[in-house]
Amino acid sequence: MSLALYTYWRSSAAYRVRIVLNLKGLAYEARPVHLVNDGGQHLKDEYRRVSPQAQLPTLVDGDTVVRQSMAIMEYLEETHPEPALMPRDARGRAKVRELMQAVGTDIHPLGNLRVLKALESEFGADQAAKEAWSRRWIRHGFDGLEALLADGTAGRFSFGDAPGLADACLVPQHYNALRWGVDLAPYPTIRRVVEACQALEAFRKAAPEAQPDAP
Amino acid sequence: MSLALYTYWRSSAAYRVRIVLNLKGLAYEARPVHLVNDGGQHLKDEYRRVSPQAQLPTLVDGDTVVRQSMAIMEYLEETHPEPALMPRDARGRAKVRELMQAVGTDIHPLGNLRVLKALESEFGADQAAKEAWSRRWIRHGFDGLEALLADGTAGRFSFGDAPGLADACLVPQHYNALRWGVDLAPYPTIRRVVEACQALEAFRKAAPEAQPDAP
């Protein structure tokens, strides 16, 4: 069964899935879709046939097509259970999903490229205003996430002492935080967990700059 | 085991969880948290001890506390498997999660109260601009969702002929679409599925206006 991933080097949702594929030791064909070139290759009919929402990433697994990064991550966990990237008990799994959503729904959608473009077209936001907007929601989200992690959930990683799906959401968001110049001093648990992740090749190999389509 | 839900009548994330609790036939204690009164009861220390992110909903199941609506929905599915609100195969489950995320990450976060407040404080958005912003992302999201549903996934409901977690995300978003005056003519599949849902008491009982804390 061959896996293919529609990806863009700097898409943080694609970055999550690349981490999971690497942690599972799964080989995949990278199919780059450039979000800026050609007016956005994701907006072309060719890609819309793959993703009606014109969004990255999309996973192709034989004749199964899965869109939405967090759905893809759970799909990979179900179809390739080892190594496990979620705990087995419902309570632990709920905690991991809570941490995933704290990034995936509370932070990431607000700093999305299409949202920043809309701030510009609707409200005349300039580059500085767009960056301040991105920082605002990362800080807001990290305030909550730091508390959720520091309540005893985190071990070396976001949940316990093995890397998992929550880490795969956190690391790309941390990358964006650095990119936008967010002060990370108030988030010692987040910084410590990210450092543990970055020591692993699975995370480093998934980084934007390590992708074949990076400039 | 007693269940309690921190909820607000018009929170669409809480509305999702109420639908799931009703579909599962689970009794629960509603603990209303008013998002507007007292400057926002969710922002008080009392509720922050429950939810460090100061967000609704939160489920309490004995000594387990679960935050984030989609994490709560999956937790209820795992702890109360009957009636099943997700298919059993990985491919079907991925599709349901794709539909959930298409609402939960692509639409809902952008029309959140705190985001609309920030548009006002950062960009001087007035009521009309905030409503236009909300409509914009609902339309954008429904364009994609309609295509995702119309690809053969939807039967009477979002996935096949039984109600499930995808419907529990869709119906509250449809409620918001009506509230903001989105033209729903382009979304025949969404309208048809919502109509099938609204025929069920589990959905009607979860509606904002049916809540004890509705004005």
Side-chain angles (χ1 to χ4, degrees), chain A residues 55-86:
Chain A
Q55 288 174 9
L56 289 174
T58 298
L59 181 79
V60 180
D61 179 13
D63 61 354
T64 299
V65 178
V66 188
R67 307 159 194 102
Q68 295 287 346
S69 61
M70 292 186 285
I72 298 171
M73 294 161 83
E74 298 246 17
Y75 174 80
L76 289 169
E77 179 70 359
E78 293 188 358
T79 53
H80 298 87
E82 299 297 334
L85 302 181
M86 282 191 122

Side-chain angles (χ1 to χ4, degrees), chain A residues 67, chain B residues 90-99 148 151 153 159:
Chain A
R67 307 159 194 102
Chain B
R91 182 180 179 158
R93 298 163 71 81
K95 185 71 197 189
V96 169
R97 291 189 179 114
E98 178 185 298
L99 298 172
L148 291 176
D151 76 350
T153 298
F159 186 90

Side-chain angles (χ1 to χ4, degrees), chain A residues 68 78 93 98 106, chain B residues 67-68 78 93 98 106:
Chain A
Q68 295 287 346
E78 293 188 358
R93 297 163 72 81
E98 178 185 298
D106 291 338
Chain B
R67 305 159 196 104
Q68 294 287 343
E78 293 187 358
R93 298 163 71 81
E98 178 185 298
D106 290 338

Side-chain angles (χ1 to χ4, degrees), chain B residues 168-207:
Chain B
C169 287
L170 175 59
V171 166
Q173 192 59 59
H174 178 268
Y175 172 92
N176 284 345
L178 291 179
R179 184 177 166 204
W180 299 121
V182 173
D183 174 16
L184 295 171
Y187 312 116
T189 317
I190 288 175
R191 283 186 287 124
R192 177 174 65 68
V193 167
V194 169
E195 198 177 336
C197 292
Q198 297 293 18
L200 302 178
E201 203 203 344
F203 284 83
R204 290 199 306 270
K205 244 177 53 186

Side-chain angles (χ1 to χ4, degrees), chain B residues 73-140:
Chain B
M73 294 161 83
E74 298 246 15
Y75 173 81
L76 289 169
E77 180 71 0
E78 293 187 358
T79 52
H80 298 86
E82 300 297 334
L85 303 180
M86 282 191 121
R88 287 184 203 282
D89 63 303
R91 182 180 179 158
R93 298 163 71 81
K95 185 71 197 189
V96 169
R97 291 189 179 114
E98 178 185 298
L99 298 172
M100 292 170 71
Q101 300 289 341
V103 170
T105 71
D106 290 338
I107 305 178
H108 178 251
L110 295 162
N112 217 304
L113 189 59
R114 66 174 180 279
V115 174
L116 300 181
K117 278 187 181 168
L119 290 177
E120 189 179 326
S121 65
E122 297 307 305
F123 302 110
D126 59 13
Q127 186 61 24
K130 289 190 282 186
E131 292 185 11
W133 176 267
S134 294
R135 279 195 298 273
R136 176 197 191 98
W137 299 113
I138 295 173
R139 277 198 304 262
H140 182 275

